[in-house]
Amino acid sequence: MNLFRKKSVHKILEQAAGGDSGDHLPLAKHLGVRDLTAFGIAAIIGAGIFSTIGNASASGGPGVIFLFIFTAIACGFAAFAYAEFASMVPVSGSAYTYSYVAFGEIIAWIIGWALIMEYAIGNITVAISWSDYLTGLLANNQIHIPVWMTMDFLTAMNGHEQAEALLNSGKIFENLSPTLQDSYIAWTNAPVILGIHLVADIPALFIIILITWLVYRGIRESRNASNIMVVIKVLVVLLVIIVGAFYVNTENWDPFMPNGVSGVLKGVSAVFFAYIGFDAISTTAEECKNPQRDLPRGMMWAIIICTVLYVGIALVLTGMVNYSELAVGDPLSFVFQKIGLHWFSGVVALSAIVAMASVLLVFALGQPRIWMSMSRDGLLPKKFAKIHPKYRTPGYATIVTGIVTAVPALFMNLTLVTDLVSIGTLFAFVLVCAGVLKLQTVPDAPRGKFRTPYMNAKYIMPLLIVLAGVLSYTYNKENVIRFFKNDPVMVDASTLIGNAEKEELILIKNYVVENDGAGFDKASNDLESYLSNLPPDNYELLVKSLDIPQNKKFEEGWNVFKHKIPLWIFMICSLVLSYYAYTKNLSLIPLLGLISCLYMMSELGISNWIGFGIWLLVGLVIYFLYSVRKSKLNEADIS
């Protein structure tokens, strides 16, 4: 059994044209540079700019623009690698097909399985966010949908339990977060049949059905809808920048990096989430008129345009209000409400609905085309490769994609695992960059019309590693020392209250009353809010003085070290890659793409790595039980 058997470029191109077996039709070719650029913008500008940009700005201040630029450069490096592969293998498989050429079948399966997760969870989370924006906009216009029809089952159930626990601890209902209040109301007001509360996100179901129907109908219809939505949301973003510029107070830009480099880097996952999607362009390669020329240009233009818009938005947001106020779910609407332009806040909310619908559209295009490519290779059932005779789209795979997205969006809350989308995407970027590096070291490797410019990393890469280490120790000495010493870390207020027993809560409350009776509001009885608003030094002193078990006040030993594992992986890989750069004269651009994407993976936290690892293990079980035997390369080996 050869797990690393590779596909030839000639065989892939023949198969895509239907020439290897004649069992499927070719896809319709309608896309040019402008269409691909529009698809890229449609996929990139979505939930990120309308939500996560707020938290990133709150952590990094105006200096978050440097993180946008860094992330754009990292994505640009990865885009070069994608463009080189797309030029060589212009088919719908994206990173899956590229890995089949560069590394072999088992790696191709792993990356294909990772991409399925990226698009599936991405669509589910975006559909839920779209539903939230829609219901919020309707509520502002006095149109109220019952909460149990706009929330998923798990959010309502868990939120109801959490709200009851806080109410029992003394918190009053009005002091609960809006999300917990809605969850409590949804669960208690929902119809109950056979003991089951009928809570489901109906708007999310509606948008998924609509987008699935559009994608099923054809690439031309999808292109036209995408282009219209892109024009609308780009105009609104430009309007936000232009109108907001008149309300900028430059004093809010001082200090420019209030929390230093570490504060800026806290927003890595949020900012990268704002760039996810440009790689989905490569899944439309078979529907491009001239993929070798147009795909690289479409990717680059999409990244450049979105970066300019992101930097402009970040500067306007942090100039209109102080950065510390931006940790909200809808920062663009928030800043205009803050200055009294409530009508413009409504325009922003409407554009967010359009923006998220366009993201859904591009992801709904991408996932069935990945499944189609894997099916062509025998790794998934043959039906996934079936092309609709009239619409020339992967019809069966598109319908299955809609079902796989719609059902979880109705009943499950996957917004908390949004980072899984990021880690799956970054993993794909890492392998695509590694694939380009590998092909550059193989004599007589296949080549396309577009090639990543070659710069020898022999001395540059080791020098960059040394420079990064020196700068980290010089400007972030305390955190560097803490990283290697593995000192205990104090838990935050929410964790402290959540882990405390009833008797311990009484003890904490009595201690607070004795030592700060004037500062603690006994009427509200809200202990969590009081502790969360304490200055860090005061909070640390209070927690150390509490007579409760040490493990409820601090994370120690393994619980501290496990969070550092992703960064250790990054550092070890960086040293290994520096060695190979020196000995193998590796190309600098794909190497920098690999390193920068791996670094962003290390910032996503151990829980996301564990979740991603579990998903890959499930995929490997399926591969060894089904795909490895059904693979067309396996059949060819047997014959």
Side-chain angles (χ1 to χ4, degrees):
M1 183 187 298
N2 182 8
L3 300 180
F4 295 93
R5 51 200 173 204
K6 300 175 183 177
K7 292 193 70 175
S8 69
V9 174
H10 172 74
K11 185 68 175 177
I12 291 171
L13 296 178
E14 182 184 23
Q15 188 182 49
D20 62 333
S21 60
D23 61 353
H24 65 265
L25 298 168
L27 299 177
K29 297 181 182 294
H30 292 294
L31 305 179
V33 175
R34 282 185 297 180
D35 303 314
L36 292 168
T37 303
F39 272 134
I41 296 171
I44 295 171
I45 298 181
I49 196 169
F50 288 100
S51 57
T52 58
I53 191 175
N55 289 322
S57 299
S59 299
V64 76
I65 65 167
F66 298 125
L67 188 54
F68 278 112
I69 294 170
F70 166 75
T71 306
I73 292 171
C75 289
F77 291 147
F80 270 112
Y82 267 92
E84 180 164 337
F85 269 117
S87 173
M88 179 177 63
V89 196
V91 297
S92 293
S94 185
Y96 158 76
T97 303
Y98 309 156
S99 296
Y100 221 144
V101 173
F103 299 111
E105 186 172 280
I106 184 67
I107 304 299
W109 170 266
I110 289 172
I111 196 61
W113 190 248
L115 288 173
I116 288 174
M117 183 194 71
E118 172 194 344
Y119 292 132
I121 295 181
N123 268 350
I124 293 165
T125 53
V126 173
I128 293 171
S129 297
W130 185 91
S131 172
D132 292 342
Y133 265 92
L134 177 67
T135 53
L137 182 64
L138 292 175
N140 290 336
N141 290 278
Q142 306 306 314
I143 302 174
H144 299 280
I145 303 174
V147 183
W148 57 270
M149 294 179 64
T150 63
M151 182 176 290
D152 60 273
F153 183 88
L154 289 182
T155 294
M157 182 179 69
N158 295 333
H160 177 262
E161 291 178 359
Q162 188 178 353
E164 281 203 326
L166 290 171
L167 291 172
N168 291 336
S169 72
K171 199 161 190 162
I172 62 175
F173 185 79
E174 288 72 17
N175 286 343
L176 294 175
S177 69
T179 301
L180 287 182
Q181 290 184 28
D182 287 344
S183 299
Y184 188 89
I185 293 170
W187 188 258
T188 53
N189 291 349
V192 180
I193 298 179
L194 300 177
I196 299 174
H197 291 249
L198 300 183
V199 183
D201 197 337
I202 303 302
L205 175 65
F206 166 76
I207 189 61
I208 291 170
I209 291 174
L210 178 63
I211 293 295
T212 301
W213 171 79
L214 189 61
V215 172
Y216 182 84
R217 285 295 303 272
I219 190 67
R220 182 184 294 165
E221 290 77 7
S222 301
R223 176 198 65 186
N224 294 341
S226 172
N227 290 348
I228 292 170
M229 287 188 282
V230 165
V231 170
I232 291 172
K233 68 181 178 181
V234 169
L235 286 176
V236 170
V237 169
L238 289 173
L239 194 59
V240 167
I241 294 173
I242 293 169
V243 174
F246 289 99
Y247 295 90
V248 165
N249 178 2
T250 54
E251 292 181 2
N252 288 327
W253 291 341
D254 185 20
F256 203 74
M257 295 171 58
N259 298 316
V261 175
S262 60
V264 172
L265 291 177
K266 280 184 180 178
V268 163
S269 62
V271 169
F272 180 74
F273 187 71
Y275 276 94
I276 283 179
F278 81 86
D279 58 310
I281 302 174
S282 62
T283 65
T284 65
E286 284 182 47
E287 289 143 298
C288 297
K289 298 172 185 175
N290 188 347
Q292 287 90 346
R293 182 197 67 188
D294 295 346
L295 272 171
R297 295 181 182 182
M299 285 184 186
M300 295 302 177
W301 275 117
I303 292 173
I304 291 169
I305 291 170
C306 291
T307 301
V308 171
L309 294 175
Y310 281 169
V311 169
I313 284 286
L315 287 174
V316 166
L317 287 181
T318 54
M320 291 176 69
V321 302
N322 186 274
Y323 73 93
S324 61
E325 300 180 55
L326 290 172
V328 294
D330 53 349
L332 270 65
S333 296
F334 169 77
V335 293
F336 286 101
Q337 288 178 347
K338 187 86 173 175
I339 62 175
L341 292 181
H342 298 286
W343 67 270
F344 198 80
S345 176
V347 172
V348 171
L350 183 60
S351 67
I353 293 171
V354 174
M356 291 182 188
S358 69
V359 174
L360 275 171
L361 175 64
V362 178
F363 275 27
L365 276 170
Q367 184 167 357
R369 283 153 179 78
I370 297 292
W371 286 3
M372 177 188 72
S373 297
M374 297 174 75
S375 175
R376 286 177 178 174
D377 297 326
L379 304 186
L380 289 177
K382 184 182 293 186
K383 203 162 186 178
F384 283 96
K386 186 176 180 181
I387 304 300
H388 194 284
K390 179 179 178 181
Y391 302 129
R392 296 294 180 91
T393 60
Y396 180 80
T398 300
I399 293 173
V400 173
T401 295
I403 295 172
V404 167
T405 305
V407 174
L410 272 176
F411 304 109
M412 296 179 65
N413 175 19
L414 295 179
T415 54
L416 296 178
V417 293
T418 299
D419 283 351
L420 280 176
V421 183
S422 297
I423 200 168
T425 307
L426 285 166
F427 182 66
F429 288 4
V430 165
L431 281 186
V432 172
C433 291
V436 170
L437 289 172
K438 187 175 187 301
L439 290 181
Q440 288 180 345
T441 62
V442 175
D444 303 322
R447 286 286 183 265
K449 294 180 181 179
F450 178 86
R451 296 192 184 187
T452 304
Y454 177 80
M455 294 176 61
N456 195 336
K458 184 180 182 72
Y459 299 109
I460 298 176
M461 193 63 206
L463 181 63
L464 287 175
I465 296 296
V466 172
L467 184 62
V470 171
L471 290 175
S472 296
Y473 187 78
T474 303
Y475 294 102
N476 201 21
K477 183 177 179 179
E478 184 179 342
N479 287 331
V480 170
I481 293 174
R482 186 182 296 119
F483 178 83
F484 287 102
K485 287 180 66 178
N486 206 49
D487 290 335
V489 177
M490 184 171 290
V491 300
D492 58 26
S494 297
T495 305
L496 180 70
I497 297 300
N499 291 339
E501 303 292 340
K502 188 174 182 179
E503 296 77 11
E504 291 166 343
L505 283 173
I506 296 172
L507 187 150
I508 297 171
K509 190 179 296 182
N510 290 338
Y511 182 89
V512 169
V513 171
E514 289 174 9
N515 291 272
D516 191 16
F520 178 56
D521 184 0
K522 302 183 188 66
S524 71
N525 217 18
D526 194 344
L527 187 60
E528 181 188 8
S529 297
Y530 168 81
L531 294 175
S532 297
N533 291 321
L534 282 177
D537 291 342
N538 293 4
Y539 175 73
E540 183 177 351
L541 184 63
L542 184 150
V543 173
K544 285 181 177 179
S545 304
L546 293 174
D547 186 20
I548 62 176
Q550 186 80 354
N551 63 353
K552 293 192 176 182
K553 297 191 290 185
F554 293 91
E555 286 188 334
E556 299 177 301
W558 167 252
N559 289 329
V560 176
F561 177 77
K562 67 183 181 182
H563 297 294
K564 302 176 183 179
I565 292 175
L567 194 54
W568 274 110
I569 293 173
F570 165 74
M571 292 191 296
I572 292 170
C573 289
S574 297
L575 293 174
V576 172
L577 288 168
S578 294
Y579 168 77
Y580 279 109
Y582 184 80
T583 57
K584 301 289 187 180
N585 296 319
L586 297 181
S587 178
L588 182 63
I589 290 178
L591 187 59
L592 289 176
L594 194 160
I595 289 289
S596 55
C597 291
L598 192 59
Y599 170 74
M600 287 190 282
M601 284 182 70
S602 73
E603 288 287 330
L604 292 178
I606 187 64
S607 60
N608 296 295
W609 284 66
I610 292 172
F612 184 59
I614 292 172
W615 176 260
L616 292 186
L617 285 176
V618 171
L620 287 174
V621 170
I622 295 173
Y623 175 76
F624 284 110
L625 290 179
Y626 175 87
S627 305
V628 71
R629 295 180 292 103
K630 297 291 185 177
S631 166
K632 289 191 176 180
L633 289 186
N634 182 56
E635 293 175 357
D637 291 342
I638 295 174
S639 60

